[in-house]
Amino acid sequence: MLRPATHLAAILMAFSSFSAITAADETDHWSFLPPTRPEIPAVADASWPRNPIDHFLLAELEAFDIPPAPEADRATLLRRLTFDLTGLPPTPEEVEAFLDDPSPFAYEAQVDRLLASPRYGERMAQHWLDLARYADTDGFEFDHTRPDMWRYRDWVVSAFNDDLPYDRFLALQMAADELEPDNPAAAVATGFHRCYPDMVDMNDQGERRQIALDDITETTGLAVLGLTIGCARCHDHKFDPLSQVDFYRLQAFFTPARFDDAYPVSTPAQERSHDAAVRSWQGELAALRAAILRLEADPRETLAPGPPRDPRPNTQNAFATPAEDRTPDQIRIVYDALAKDPRIDPDQLDAALGPDRLAERNTLRTQLDALNDAGPPPLPVARVLVEDSPDAAPTHLLLRGQYGKPGPEVEPGFPSQLDPNAPRINPTDHSTGRRSALAAWLTQPDHPLTARVFVNRLWQLHFGRGIVATPSDFGVMGTYPSHPELLDWLATELPNQGWSIKRMQRLIVTSAAYRMSSQFDPDSHAIDPDNELFWRQNRRRLDGEAIRDALLSSSGLLNPAQGGPPIFPELPEELTKLSSQGAIWPVSPTPDERNRRSLYVFIRRNLRYPFFEAFDRPDTNASCPRRDVTTIAPQALALLNDRLAHDAASALAERLDRSTGPDPAARIRLAFLLTLGREPAPSERELASRYVNDHNEAAWHSFCLALLNLNEFVFLD
């Protein structure tokens, strides 16, 4: 560790954690105390800081005589910023505009542009969905599809794009049905709690529910509080001051809730529109049925006079009503009854119609069948957590965490080390009010953990490592903050900024610290080899979703359509053979649909999309605070051999031809701008020119494939 005081404290704390934790240890642990706003430290080099963040970092660097790395060049900055905020590469037009902008605020203008982009929400949603363990299937043996889970994904995208304040963002996911009872669509937010893997065919459905509640409790602790409270399900936590009672008291906020897989979330306007569409559709069906009935009327009356015998009153009433006065439903009843009339042989009816009327009738039937299958889509439903009653069944501590072994009854409560007071709960006529009380507690400005945990996640997003390197473990066994004062300043700044996520990110990415290059310095490395003091920017590899999106974007194949049900890209042939003739992975029918952003790729727990799996896609059975980053042979093989990469290379070569014509130099320049976000160096121009000098299609394809396989394509400097 680096700093004499704080880092020595961390070492001593780690040693003490292996012995019994005393009451004093619990009280003094830094993360259980409310954040206090520190003074912004003075620094010797007042010319370097751009905002308060830089003062905190530079004060530490100066204490160790470590100079901050120089600022990255503009092309590197724009590529880093664009991927961080949108998950996509900058376009050549954006690169050229930024490089040519002489304004001293050109960089800030780019930040504002990217934060306002609808692509911002898609990128930020990817990180949150990792925490929420989002998937489109149940997992386990049958891995059933969750047809409406995507509505929660789209809610998260919209929340980030709308800059929904983080306190409200959290509160709605905890208790939208209680906080906005007159807005059914808000309940989609509670899908956060319905992302758990689910063994739907368990013999004991009570045990299935208990497993879900355990998962909900644990994930809330990890994602929101940054605590491994799930370790206290069976016994008191071995290291943190979290008792088994604390676990079940937290769970008691959720036990009254009902798990609804088809909760109506339509708005009144949607319902009116749907009703109008249904009436119109039914009218068109009725018109076709009535036309068929008129064609068949005379032959039927000749073959079997009068209506068929049917004792049901609604059928008798339908036949008794004059044809011109029948409602669409009565026309359907008459049509169905005559179609099943046992008195008439269909062949006899066809013969009685004659060839002309028979042909007309068959045409009408074809139109009727097609229209019948093309009815208005159903009103939206969602997978949510809701309550219907102010009453709650008792919650019991489970002995050793085992279902069927209830211990003492517990009431809703917060972890005692964080707040020993009983929660203030206000029931309503449709709800216990428990989860809204939990939401209110979590979003207190002085909460010890909520803001700290979230600003640390934002820092990790932009620097590759959090100020606390264990982002979902702020407990005794988690790492000590590298910059505790900076963490507390950011945690207090979040509510000061109205809990605005975009404002906090703007603060971070406009700092001098974020703008540093990743340039290596041997002297600084000798003092701080792990870059704990952030003396340079960390070089980061893109995740699999961003790599796929970059392949599609640079080649011009990316379909920017947003939202809606998930899509299914093509699988490798060997996996297609295992997919039950498409039942498990029904490939989307058109390339345009398949080439949408990676956020919308179907997430099947038991069959991960192979390209993402090669690039460390996390297991969606548990909350993921930070993805693993490996370097393995399948990654290079995927970029070199995968159909996705070859399709992108071919499309990129065609794009170069369309955009620049036959000029090789112009093609090469555009290729570098599209794939790497920069101009080619003179040596690169020369090498590329020699390679493609015969201008044949194969040479340009392999040149483009080579660019897509560069380390620079999949890494951010």
Side-chain angles (χ1 to χ4, degrees):
M1 293 296 182
L2 294 170
R3 293 185 294 163
T6 57
H7 290 277
L8 176 60
I11 294 172
L12 294 176
M13 186 175 297
F15 277 117
S16 68
S17 68
F18 290 100
S19 58
I21 299 174
T22 66
D25 293 326
E26 296 173 359
T27 303
D28 292 342
H29 186 64
W30 68 271
S31 71
F32 299 131
L33 303 174
T36 56
R37 191 170 180 84
E39 294 292 327
I40 297 174
V43 294
D45 182 7
S47 66
W48 188 75
R50 291 178 178 271
N51 64 37
I53 288 173
D54 300 321
H55 283 264
F56 288 100
L57 287 184
L58 187 58
E60 295 293 335
L61 293 174
E62 290 180 340
F64 286 89
D65 287 330
I66 298 176
E71 184 167 299
D73 63 79
R74 277 200 168 192
T76 298
L77 269 181
L78 184 64
R79 188 168 188 270
R80 178 195 302 167
L81 182 70
T82 308
F83 269 109
D84 273 3
L85 294 182
T86 69
L88 293 169
T91 66
E93 295 77 15
E94 290 165 352
V95 173
E96 291 170 343
F98 182 46
L99 295 181
D100 294 340
D101 189 346
S103 167
F105 303 107
Y107 177 79
E108 286 78 4
Q110 295 299 317
V111 172
D112 293 337
R113 175 182 64 81
L114 293 167
L115 288 173
S117 167
R119 308 299 157 210
Y120 165 81
E122 292 177 320
R123 185 57 180 164
M124 290 298 294
Q126 187 71 68
H127 303 298
W128 186 258
L129 296 177
D130 279 359
L131 289 169
R133 73 271 190 242
Y134 174 88
D136 294 302
T137 64
D138 290 332
F140 293 101
E141 180 181 1
F142 296 107
D143 205 20
H144 293 306
T145 298
R146 296 172 173 176
D148 298 291
M149 196 70 242
W150 58 269
R151 296 190 193 280
Y152 170 68
R153 175 249 288 156
D154 283 1
W155 180 87
V156 175
V157 172
S158 295
F160 279 116
N161 275 336
D162 296 341
D163 198 19
L164 187 67
Y166 183 64
D167 58 343
R168 191 64 179 176
F169 177 75
L170 269 188
L172 290 176
Q173 291 180 86
M174 294 299 117
D177 59 306
E178 294 181 350
L179 297 172
E180 298 188 15
D182 298 326
N183 180 14
V188 173
T190 64
F192 174 80
H193 296 301
R194 300 299 318 282
C195 291
Y196 53 81
D198 189 11
M199 190 182 294
V200 296
D201 62 328
M202 286 189 70
N203 290 332
D204 191 329
Q205 291 295 297
E207 183 176 7
R208 174 192 171 198
R209 177 181 171 83
Q210 182 59 49
I211 291 172
L213 287 169
D214 290 344
D215 185 288
I216 290 169
T217 308
E218 179 177 15
T219 302
T220 301
L222 290 169
V224 182
L225 295 172
L227 292 177
T228 57
I229 195 169
C231 296
R233 180 174 66 88
C234 305
H235 49 71
D236 291 351
H237 202 291
K238 289 186 178 296
F239 304 107
D240 293 338
L242 298 168
S243 68
Q244 190 182 16
V245 171
D246 285 333
F247 179 85
Y248 288 99
R249 289 174 71 211
L250 182 61
Q251 187 172 108
F253 287 104
F254 301 104
T255 50
R258 176 170 60 85
F259 301 168
D260 194 327
D261 294 348
Y263 184 78
V265 293
S266 52
T267 64
Q270 285 176 315
E271 291 169 2
R272 289 192 296 271
S273 176
H274 182 264
D275 289 345
V278 168
R279 286 194 299 271
S280 175
W281 174 64
Q282 290 174 338
E284 292 177 39
L285 289 173
L288 288 171
R289 290 185 179 116
I292 295 172
L293 290 174
R294 286 194 295 272
L295 275 176
E296 296 180 344
D298 291 341
R300 283 186 178 277
E301 189 63 25
T302 300
L303 294 171
R309 297 186 60 182
D310 191 321
R312 290 175 294 185
N314 60 339
T315 304
Q316 294 177 2
N317 290 337
F319 275 101
T321 303
E324 63 275 10
D325 296 333
R326 288 172 184 158
T327 65
D329 192 53
Q330 287 178 321
I331 293 172
R332 179 190 58 79
I333 291 172
V334 170
Y335 182 87
D336 290 344
L338 290 175
K340 300 174 184 177
D341 190 348
R343 302 172 301 165
I344 298 178
D345 182 273
D347 292 337
Q348 289 181 323
L349 178 60
D350 292 350
L353 282 168
D356 293 339
R357 285 190 295 181
L358 178 62
E360 184 179 355
R361 195 274 311 270
N362 289 344
T363 298
L364 290 171
R365 279 186 174 180
T366 300
Q367 294 174 358
L368 179 63
D369 290 341
L371 183 62
N372 205 40
D373 293 336
L379 285 168
V381 296
R383 185 179 169 93
V384 300
L385 200 69
V386 292
E387 291 187 27
D388 303 314
S389 167
D391 300 321
T395 301
H396 291 271
L397 179 148
L398 298 182
L399 301 178
R400 296 185 179 274
Q402 295 183 45
Y403 176 73
K405 292 188 176 181
E409 183 177 344
V410 297
E411 293 295 327
F414 314 122
S416 55
Q417 190 58 47
L418 295 176
D419 190 343
N421 301 312
R424 182 177 299 173
I425 298 174
N426 301 308
T428 67
D429 58 355
H430 67 277
S431 171
T432 62
R434 291 186 180 187
R435 283 177 290 116
S436 54
L438 174 63
W441 176 72
L442 288 172
T443 55
Q444 294 177 118
D446 62 346
H447 193 285
L449 289 166
T450 303
R452 275 181 176 140
V453 169
F454 186 67
V455 296
N456 187 65
R457 297 195 194 283
L458 292 180
W459 189 270
Q460 174 183 282
L461 168 62
H462 295 298
F463 287 89
R465 192 190 76 244
I467 297 170
V468 175
T470 50
S472 284
D473 188 358
F474 276 47
V476 173
M477 295 304 288
T479 59
Y480 194 81
S482 61
H483 298 74
E485 295 86 4
L486 173 58
L487 181 65
D488 273 13
W489 187 87
L490 290 169
T492 55
E493 185 67 10
L494 178 61
N496 285 353
Q497 292 288 342
W499 296 87
S500 168
I501 299 170
K502 288 188 178 183
R503 290 180 195 170
M504 293 302 296
Q505 282 187 278
R506 191 182 195 281
L507 188 68
I508 292 172
V509 300
T510 55
S511 67
Y514 178 79
R515 301 191 208 190
M516 287 188 293
S517 73
S518 60
Q519 179 177 309
F520 181 79
D521 179 75
D523 295 332
S524 301
H525 178 77
I527 300 171
D528 181 14
D530 294 324
N531 194 26
E532 289 186 48
L533 296 180
F534 299 102
W535 52 269
R536 64 185 176 98
Q537 180 59 266
N538 288 306
R539 196 172 192 225
R540 292 173 279 139
R541 200 206 70 204
L542 298 174
D543 55 43
E545 291 89 339
I547 294 172
R548 176 180 176 272
D549 288 347
L551 289 169
L552 296 174
S553 179
S554 59
S555 63
L557 293 175
L558 183 66
N559 175 359
Q562 288 190 284
I567 56 104
F568 295 83
E570 291 173 306
L571 293 178
E573 184 178 352
E574 58 272 21
L575 284 181
T576 304
K577 296 176 181 177
L578 300 176
S579 66
S580 301
Q581 290 75 48
I584 292 176
W585 195 271
V587 174
S588 297
T590 65
D592 190 52
E593 184 69 10
R594 295 194 291 270
N595 290 338
R596 293 182 62 202
R597 283 201 72 170
S598 298
L599 178 71
Y600 303 113
V601 172
F602 188 80
I603 302 176
R604 181 172 285 285
R605 282 194 159 101
N606 290 358
L607 179 62
R608 279 184 280 184
Y609 183 53
F611 190 86
F612 295 161
E613 188 165 20
F615 287 97
D616 307 307
R617 176 71 186 245
D619 180 357
T620 53
N621 288 313
S623 178
C624 176
R626 183 181 182 185
R627 293 191 179 192
D628 293 331
V629 180
T630 64
T631 303
I632 55 175
Q635 294 166 356
L637 294 171
L639 282 173
L640 193 60
N641 299 317
D642 196 275
R643 179 174 178 176
L644 171 66
H646 278 272
D647 286 350
S650 296
L652 176 57
E654 293 171 5
R655 183 178 186 180
L656 299 178
D657 184 43
R658 289 195 309 270
S659 301
T660 65
D663 182 2
R667 286 191 186 186
I668 291 168
R669 177 179 181 272
L670 181 58
F672 273 78
L673 285 170
L674 285 167
T675 57
L676 307 181
R678 64 169 176 85
E679 299 269 356
S683 59
E684 292 170 327
R685 288 181 189 272
E686 182 182 355
L687 180 64
S689 296
R690 289 204 309 267
Y691 185 76
V692 298
N693 61 5
D694 56 359
H695 313 311
N696 69 64
E697 184 178 335
W700 282 105
H701 173 91
S702 57
F703 165 68
C704 291
L705 185 63
L707 286 178
L708 301 177
N709 274 266
L710 291 176
N711 266 1
E712 191 177 349
F713 182 76
V714 297
F715 279 85
L716 293 180
D717 275 316

